[in-house]
Amino acid sequence: MEEKQGVVKDVRLRVSADLHLSRELRGDEVEKVAEYAVSSFPSIFSRGALKDEEPRINELTVSGEKLSITVESGRRVRAHEAVKRARKALSEELGPKMGLGVRGISVKSFEVTFIGDCLREVKLPFAKKVEKIKEGMKYWLDVNESDLYSQVPDRIISLFLEKQEEHAAAREVHKIVWRSSEKPVKYAADPGPLLDEEGWVKRFYPGIWYYLQPYANLLRILENMIVEKVAKPLGFQEVVLPKLIPLEVAKKKGHLAGIPSEMLYVCEPGSREVSYFEDYTDLVKVLNEPRPEVLKQFLKEPVFTLPYAQCEPFYELFAGETLNLDNPPVKLYDRSGFSFRHEAGGLRSLERLTAFTRIEIVYLGRPEDVAETRDRLIENYLSILDKTLDMEVRSAEVTPVWMAHAGVVKDVSRNVSATFDIEAYLPFRGDRESEWLEIANASVHYDKYVDWFNIKERKGREVWTGCSGNGLERWVYAFLARHGFNVENWPVEVKRLWASYKPPIMDT
Ligand code: SER
Ligand code: ZN
């Protein structure tokens, strides 16, 4: 049975707070402050509010040292915004007249009611109580003054809305756009175990491998082909992107919200002094074991993630900068992998890895240029895969992976498709309907990263970004699954390049 999706029709807030005055009120000051508040707050609160939705004062009392207020509101000018306005107005009005200021705000209660049918109870940060009520769902938040000023309540409300949508999470979209001709099966084994047995690769750690000869040859041939035949003809230029991603950048890219469980993290040592580690090093010597649980105590909290998408630093390059869209689009590629993933679905041979190499292709510019670049990239990939490498491939429009990485489930689609995947058929797995492996993708992100990384344009014109990646190990895997290990049976272009490499160093 299909579960009904929760739809939030309205959000109501009720906030009670004390505004602490800078000194005790004397004589008729209590009355004057109360008079001022009662007469001016309503119009101050209603600025920018929709008619009949102005924040309403529920309760207002003035005593010696504080003004206590309870405000109710809808979505637009929210109750806590009204409290902040009250503070500002009081200081501005009473400062010059009475030499009086507002020292601080204590939030006594903060209630948010989400009105709607079939709402789901979800966990929210700073929620101390939640109750299902007739109209929907009510939360009591434990927030303080600085939270009010850093938009924490607003983000909690957004998080609730997001979590309701997440539930009905858009089903994975997969629409085949193009497919090459069916190619006769000439090799029917899984290349994974053979790669290992033949000594082309050796396992170093789960999901991490040595790429020996001649595996590295083949990987480089395919890599160069992507550089020469996919990226360079479209004007892409090489750069080296950093491979330690500060948490702040991972946050802007959305990864800390979307995929915290799929990344690897890097810590700095607790001190630069070797002596600081004495207890630990002694233990390693005596026990002759690495003892990570002890080491952990000598490390600082994590500062970096390892690159997950490999394009994270690209957007940061422009963060806070002002661009000029009269200039040609920015087109760069980075072939200085690895990327790292703590794969949720488990590891598989040379196909799903912890550390993998790829050429990350990144672009930024006018929307039409970014969309055009992405489409041309897909064409170029398909052309080398189908023609030069004689592989059976297809392209599909898919749910944008970069949105999933950012934990965003809302449909962001515009009239330009977000992401296309390129998949190769793996003959040894059988069924042509289902046995395809994603080996490349290319996306446009619209203006999402421009927004999240605060990138400006001198005339305020819309800037888009895009990126395209490819798992080089997967290219090798799919290539071998199609053509096998006998070089004589390989496509001519690969054979030609193969000859120019040195023979393997390992004899197996
Ligand atoms: N950065 C994109 C991804 O992670 C393309 O490589 O899928
Ligand atoms: Zn990317």
Side-chain angles (χ1 to χ4, degrees):
M1 197 178 78
E2 207 173 296
E3 205 179 330
K4 274 200 218 147
Q5 185 198 347
V7 177
V8 179
K9 294 194 199 118
D10 201 2
V11 183
R12 308 287 313 165
L13 288 93
R14 187 172 195 276
V15 175
S16 296
D18 286 343
L19 275 54
H20 301 284
L21 305 175
S22 55
R23 63 164 174 79
E24 184 133 9
L25 301 177
R26 299 181 285 258
D28 64 353
E29 284 179 344
V30 170
E31 217 163 287
K32 278 191 180 153
V33 170
E35 247 168 46
Y36 168 73
V38 170
S39 65
S40 56
F41 283 178
S43 63
I44 292 170
F45 292 176
S46 63
R47 250 188 290 126
L50 300 175
K51 198 163 154 27
D52 299 326
E53 281 196 17
E54 301 89 352
R56 280 180 216 291
I57 301 171
N58 222 256
E59 207 185 307
L60 196 154
T61 55
V62 181
S63 61
E65 278 177 334
K66 65 181 187 217
L67 180 150
S68 305
I69 189 167
T70 300
V71 186
E72 284 185 0
S73 79
R75 271 187 205 226
R76 187 67 180 270
V77 176
R78 296 176 173 175
H80 54 287
E81 170 63 23
V83 171
K84 291 193 288 183
R85 288 185 187 179
R87 177 206 190 140
K88 188 158 179 273
L90 264 188
S91 314
E92 283 172 4
E93 168 72 14
L94 304 179
K97 290 191 182 153
M98 298 184 190
L100 195 72
V102 178
R103 209 166 23 86
I105 303 176
S106 324
V107 182
K108 290 188 296 188
S109 80
F110 199 118
E111 302 167 15
V112 190
T113 306
F114 298 95
I115 296 168
D117 302 323
C118 311
L119 299 184
R120 240 171 17 106
E121 184 179 328
V122 294
K123 278 215 271 187
L124 292 177
F126 304 109
K128 52 183 180 186
K129 186 175 152 196
V130 50
E131 218 175 83
K132 198 163 176 50
I133 57 171
K134 196 158 61 57
E135 302 82 29
M137 196 75 66
K138 181 167 178 179
Y139 284 81
W140 283 259
L141 304 183
D142 189 5
V143 288
N144 60 27
E145 176 179 350
S146 83
D147 297 329
L148 298 194
Y149 284 95
S150 41
Q151 276 74 52
V152 171
D154 305 291
R155 290 201 206 95
I156 295 175
I157 292 169
S158 304
L159 183 60
F160 179 88
L161 303 176
E162 203 179 280
K163 285 193 166 186
Q164 296 300 315
E165 283 180 21
E166 207 166 298
H167 188 53
R171 274 237 236 96
E172 292 284 311
V173 177
H174 188 281
K175 222 166 59 202
I176 296 166
V177 179
W178 184 87
R179 79 194 277 173
S180 69
S181 62
E182 239 178 63
K183 304 196 175 174
V185 173
K186 61 180 193 185
Y187 185 77
D190 177 356
L194 251 127
L195 277 170
D196 205 358
E197 283 162 31
E198 297 288 318
W200 287 36
V201 294
K202 186 164 193 257
R203 205 179 81 154
F204 180 60
Y205 191 81
I208 307 176
W209 296 74
Y210 294 95
Y211 303 156
L212 302 171
Q213 289 296 357
Y215 183 91
N217 283 354
L218 188 52
L219 187 111
R220 289 288 179 240
I221 287 173
L222 299 179
E223 182 185 29
N224 286 331
M225 220 173 251
I226 295 172
V227 168
E228 298 301 329
K229 299 195 171 177
V230 176
K232 282 192 182 167
L234 295 176
F236 283 89
Q237 292 187 310
E238 182 168 8
V239 289
V240 174
L241 294 175
K243 294 292 176 284
L244 286 172
I245 315 299
L247 288 186
E248 186 53 35
V249 176
K251 196 216 83 197
K252 287 193 219 173
K253 177 87 164 61
H255 289 180
L256 295 187
I259 41 166
S261 59
E262 291 179 46
M263 287 190 292
L264 293 167
Y265 299 88
V266 178
C267 299
E268 287 176 352
S271 159
R272 287 180 196 278
E273 300 298 324
V274 70
S275 57
Y276 175 84
F277 284 86
E278 187 174 344
D279 289 348
Y280 174 66
T281 45
D282 287 351
L283 204 67
V284 172
K285 283 180 195 161
V286 173
L287 299 175
N288 199 24
E289 284 174 357
R291 287 299 176 121
E293 78 287 3
V294 180
L295 175 60
K296 199 168 138 185
Q297 301 161 24
F298 292 81
L299 301 179
K300 287 194 183 152
E301 60 274 20
V303 189
F304 304 106
T305 73
L306 292 179
Y308 180 96
Q310 210 170 310
C311 54
E312 299 90 341
F314 174 63
Y315 318 103
E316 181 66 12
L317 183 60
F318 305 100
E321 304 280 356
T322 302
L323 307 172
N324 180 356
L325 276 195
D326 294 329
N327 294 328
V330 180
K331 293 180 174 184
L332 307 173
Y333 70 89
D334 168 71
R335 63 190 299 183
S336 70
F338 287 86
S339 276
F340 297 87
R341 294 192 173 183
H342 188 62
E343 280 287 5
L347 301 165
R348 218 167 31 220
S349 178
L350 265 289
E351 180 208 316
R352 194 184 287 138
L353 299 159
T354 304
F356 67 97
T357 57
R358 80 175 127 189
I359 303 167
E360 177 74 8
I361 301 174
V362 288
Y363 31 107
L364 169 151
R366 291 185 296 197
E368 59 273 25
D369 288 338
V370 166
E372 161 81 10
T373 301
R374 191 276 309 278
D375 293 348
R376 299 281 307 278
L377 282 167
I378 292 287
E379 280 168 25
N380 289 359
Y381 280 126
L382 287 172
S383 163
I384 57 171
L385 285 161
D386 176 32
K387 300 201 181 82
T388 318
L389 297 174
D390 188 29
M391 287 163 68
E392 190 169 330
V393 287
R394 68 184 188 188
S395 63
E397 183 179 354
V398 296
T399 320
V401 65
W402 55 271
M403 290 308 279
H405 293 172
V408 179
V409 291
K410 268 199 287 285
D411 184 10
V412 292
S413 49
R414 312 265 186 103
N415 47 6
V416 171
S417 307
T419 299
F420 293 107
D421 276 0
I422 290 177
E423 302 168 339
Y425 174 53
L426 299 178
F428 74 90
R429 291 225 189 116
D431 192 350
R432 251 203 186 79
E433 283 322 297
S434 57
E435 299 306 330
W436 297 75
L437 178 68
E438 185 207 337
I439 59 171
N441 65 35
S443 295
V444 300
H445 315 128
Y446 313 116
D447 59 352
K448 288 291 162 211
Y449 290 139
V450 169
D451 181 13
W452 297 342
F453 283 80
N454 186 28
I455 302 169
K456 304 270 176 266
E457 203 281 332
R458 65 196 284 249
K459 293 186 186 155
R461 288 171 286 191
E462 185 158 320
V463 180
W464 282 14
T465 62
C467 75
S468 166
N470 35 70
L472 297 176
E473 292 81 350
R474 288 186 172 193
W475 280 58
V476 174
Y477 190 76
F479 177 89
L480 291 171
R482 159 91 180 113
H483 296 294
F485 284 72
N486 184 350
V487 180
E488 287 315 306
N489 297 334
W490 288 4
V492 70
E493 180 68 6
V494 182
K495 262 200 288 198
R496 189 179 65 78
L497 294 162
W498 185 257
S500 69
Y501 280 101
K502 285 191 183 144
I505 57 160
M506 298 276 279
D507 187 20
T508 49

